[in-house]
């Protein structure tokens, strides 16, 4: 039995067989003695033959499900498998430098990359992703028992727990979550995308474990205890009994249906709006069940990583067609009516766009560039994708209460350009005889520059949504996926609270609605302080809504406004936390007496 400690991000305890998923393997170089050279070369050949069989299998499966166009991606990879510059070149390095096969193959990839990076043609440059995929596969095959991400996902069954080095958004979109009992990742912090997802699915999860994907072997029995922030490998009887005893208790604490409708109300009668953050249209049911008044944030990214045979043929495989998107938006608007649905336009970065399908994973650069060409910036740089999304949205608008929101906005020019594109799409539809309804256009306040210029931005938009997940990380310069600095990611840092107040005030002065959709709102204690800061609209993971409703019913907004006035002047997050804790303890004590 071995215990690994990380950050519990979604409560509950489950046991299952480990499926290991590794995307970014660190390759070590070691010397191979002369007597082992032949063995090393055989490993390399065996890895190639295994890759060939896997690719042939995947190609025929994909051809069946998604048509021959997509399947042809794997023809290219099969051809590369026999390229003299790949495996034979790696074999040459093994022989000449007496190095291990993993390192040799990685080295060959670096040589390839350098060549690809110099190619001006963007199509050819993107083929680097194919090579990266293939090299990833060869490296996985050198570790027996280790699956590639695609194969690992296929191995999942109802008895599985998923152990990954990192769960990237494109991968998350491909997982059949009904088959995952729980998951654990090496990377991550509380606001990591997959952590947010785990909470909404109510799947126990622990992140920030550093090396779980290395320590745990495929098929090993593992207990994931999200409540205790632990992963237990080869658990004893007692731990297993605890896991099996609790499995069925994980039902949402939503309470009776009549208590779940309409706004939440504080003890002194202030109405607080609770909307839901969702990632997939299927989450709508959870949002409604939890009593959300509307969808405050629909992260539309999965529409870019999804693909249907016809869109693959038409758009080179990048995202769903206008009609397919229209159907999805329409379904959500009708499903949530009369509540509003706020669709955030695509918030991906350039690297995530590079290869959204095939294996659904971008071998090298998925996490790089999160401050780069991303969100609205990328939509403006790729107008052909943005236009399709906007047209689909505007067409769907008449089926409910739609709001369009631009992510990752740092300045007014981008907003004007984004709005211009909305107007253009609307004019096109009008010319075609289908004038769309007027749709409110808002922005996420999630970059410090936007918070600082919230007064200027407020004149240009119809609403604000404060995205504290990104705002905190950029305000404090703490990467939210990096476990090493996760304790510096402080929602209560005075700088963060001041930025929230700035955005809230600017919205109030401009008389536009403002809500807050970061994970911060899912924590009932932080939520009470946010109410104290004057916010009355929130959007959160559906599972957090019932608890938020209960917590709000117990506080007086007036008391927390007084508290907020006191704490914004305090120098550290710890000081603020102490005051907040004292206020909440006072509430509990008050109830006891
Ligand atoms: C945010 O940044 O607060 C947010 C809600 O968006 P995401 O977590 O999708 O970046
Ligand atoms: Mg964000």
């Amino acid at each position: 039995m071995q215990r690994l400690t990380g950050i519990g991000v979604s409560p509950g305890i489950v046991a299952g067989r480990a499926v290991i998923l590794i995307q970014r393997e660190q390759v070590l170089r070691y010397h191979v003695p002369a007597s082992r050279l032949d063995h090393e070369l055989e490993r390399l050949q065996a890895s190639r033959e295994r890759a060939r069989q896997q690719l042939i299998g995947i190609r025929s499966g994909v051809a069946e499900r998604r048509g021959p166009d997509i399947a042809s991606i794997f023809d290219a990879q099969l051809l590369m498998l026999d390229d003299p510059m790949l495996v034979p070149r790696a074999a040459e390095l093994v022989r000449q430098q007496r190095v291990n096969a993993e390192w040799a193959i990685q080295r060959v990839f670096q040589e390839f990359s350098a060549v690809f990076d110099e190619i001006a043609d963007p199509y050819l440059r993107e083929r680097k992703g194919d090579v990266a995929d293939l090299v990833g596969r060869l490296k996985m095959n050198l570790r027996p028992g280790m699956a590639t991400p695609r194969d690992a996902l296929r191995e999942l069954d109802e008895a599985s727990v998923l152990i990954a080095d990192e769960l990237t958004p494109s991968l998350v979109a491909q997982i059949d979550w009904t088959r995952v009992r729980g998951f654990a990742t090496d990377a991550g912090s509380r606001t990591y995308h997959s952590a947010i997802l785990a909470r909404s699915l109510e799947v126990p999860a622990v992140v920030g474990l550093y090396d779980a994907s290395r320590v745990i072997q495929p098929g090993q029995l593992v207990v994931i205890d999200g409540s205790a922030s632990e992963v237990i490998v080869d658990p004893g009887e007692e731990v297993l009994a605890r896991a099996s005893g609790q499995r069925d208790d994980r039902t949402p604490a939503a309470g009776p249906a009549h208590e779940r409708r309409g706004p939440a109300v504080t003890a002194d009668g202030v109405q607080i709006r609770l909307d839901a953050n969702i990632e997939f249209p299927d989450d709508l049911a959870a949002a409604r069940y939890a009593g959300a008044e509307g969808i405050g944030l629909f992260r539309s990214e999965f529409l870019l990583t999804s693909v249907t045979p016809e869109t693959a043929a038409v758009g080179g495989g990048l995202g769903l067609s206008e009609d397919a998107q229209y159907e999805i938006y329409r379904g959500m608007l009708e499903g949530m009516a009369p509540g509003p649905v706020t669709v955030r336009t695509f918030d991906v970065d350039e690297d995530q766009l590079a290869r959204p399908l095939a294996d659904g994973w971008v071998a090298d650069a998925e996490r790089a560039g999160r401050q780069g060409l991303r969100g609205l910036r990328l939509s403006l740089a790729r107008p052909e994708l943005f236009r399709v999304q906007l047209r689909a949205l505007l067409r769907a608008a008449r089926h409910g209460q739609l709001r369009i929101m631009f992510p990752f906005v740092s300045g007014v020019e981008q907003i004007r350009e984004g709005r211009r594109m909305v107007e253009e799409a609307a004019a096109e539809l009008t010319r075609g005889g289908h004038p769309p309804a007027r749709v409110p256009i808002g922005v996420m306040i999630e970059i410090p520059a936007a918070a600082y210029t919230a007064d200027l931005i407020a004149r240009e938009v119809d609403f604000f949504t404060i995205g504290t997940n990104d705002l905190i990380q950029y305000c404090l310069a703490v990467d939210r996926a990096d476990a090493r600095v996760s304790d510096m990611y402080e929602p209560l840092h005075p700088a963060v609270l001041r930025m929230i107040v700035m955005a809230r005030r600017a919205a109030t002065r401009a008389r536009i609605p403002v809500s807050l959709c970061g994970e911060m709102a899912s924590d009932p204690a932080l939520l009470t302080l946010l109410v104290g800061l004057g916010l009355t609209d929130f959007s959160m993971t559906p599972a957090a809504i019932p608890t938020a409703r209960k917590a709000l019913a117990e506080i007086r907004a007036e008391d927390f406004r007084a508290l907020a006035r006191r704490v914004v002047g305090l120098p550290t997050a710890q000081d603020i936390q102490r005051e907040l804790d004292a206020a909440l303890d006072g509430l509990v004590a008050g109830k006891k007496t």
Side-chain angles (χ1 to χ4, degrees), residues 193 196 277 297 299 344 347 370 374 444 446 466-471 480 517-519:
H193 266 102
I196 297 171
N277 294 346
L297 167 67
R299 295 179 164 103
R344 177 177 75 181
D347 186 11
R370 293 297 288 163
R374 171 191 156 184
M444 298 221 27
E446 56 181 342
I466 305 173
T468 47
N469 299 345
D470 277 317
L471 189 60
R480 60 170 150 151
C517 71
E519 268 305 295

Side-chain angles (χ1 to χ4, degrees), residues 529-552:
L529 182 63
L530 291 169
V531 168
L533 292 174
L535 288 159
T536 52
D537 280 19
F538 299 93
S539 190
M540 58 189 71
T541 180
I545 291 178
T547 318
R549 190 179 287 277
K550 277 198 206 113
L552 290 168

Side-chain angles (χ1 to χ4, degrees), residues 313-392:
V314 178
L318 216 50
L320 292 183
S321 67
E322 181 185 316
D323 284 347
Q325 287 193 39
Y326 161 77
E327 290 299 337
I328 288 174
Y329 300 139
R330 177 184 173 164
M332 290 174 55
L333 285 161
E334 288 177 346
M336 207 59 214
V341 174
T342 307
V343 176
R344 177 177 75 181
T345 58
F346 302 136
D347 186 11
V348 291
D349 63 39
E350 212 181 12
D351 298 319
Q352 288 167 312
L353 264 197
R355 271 180 60 79
L357 56 131
D359 270 9
W361 55 293
V362 183
D364 263 336
E366 180 109 44
R367 214 171 63 192
R370 293 297 288 163
Q371 294 190 57
L373 194 51
R374 171 191 156 184
L376 180 61
R377 302 167 179 183
L378 181 66
S379 291
L380 296 177
R382 298 291 298 267
E384 74 285 6
L385 291 176
F386 198 32
R387 194 170 150 264
V388 169
Q389 183 172 38
L390 292 176
R391 281 180 56 98

Side-chain angles (χ1 to χ4, degrees), residues 238-256:
E238 181 256 338
V239 178
L240 271 180
R242 204 148 41 86
S244 59
Q246 286 212 1
R247 264 215 80 204
D248 296 330
D249 297 343
R250 291 183 301 120
T251 47

Side-chain angles (χ1 to χ4, degrees), residues 377-418:
R377 302 167 179 183
L378 181 66
S379 291
L380 296 177
R382 298 291 298 267
E384 74 285 6
L385 291 176
F386 198 32
R387 194 170 150 264
V388 169
Q389 183 172 38
L390 292 176
R391 281 180 56 98
L393 281 167
L394 292 174
R395 280 173 57 197
R398 67 191 177 88
H399 298 288
Q401 268 202 67
L402 173 69
R403 306 198 312 166
I404 296 178
M405 177 161 74
F406 298 149
F408 217 64
V409 164
S410 54
V412 163
E413 312 90 304
Q414 297 154 9
I415 300 169
R416 290 186 182 154
E417 185 56 15

Side-chain angles (χ1 to χ4, degrees), residues 415-434:
I415 300 169
R416 290 186 182 154
E417 185 56 15
R419 291 201 83 131
R420 196 187 56 71
M421 288 204 52
V422 175
E423 277 156 26
E424 230 171 71
E428 269 172 31
L429 293 172
T430 306
R431 279 197 300 276
H434 301 285

Side-chain angles (χ1 to χ4, degrees), residues 458 464 501-514 533-534:
F464 277 174
V501 170
M502 249 181 217
R504 204 269 300 142
R505 276 202 190 125
T508 310
R509 289 204 181 115
R511 295 177 202 276
I512 59 170
V514 52
L533 292 174

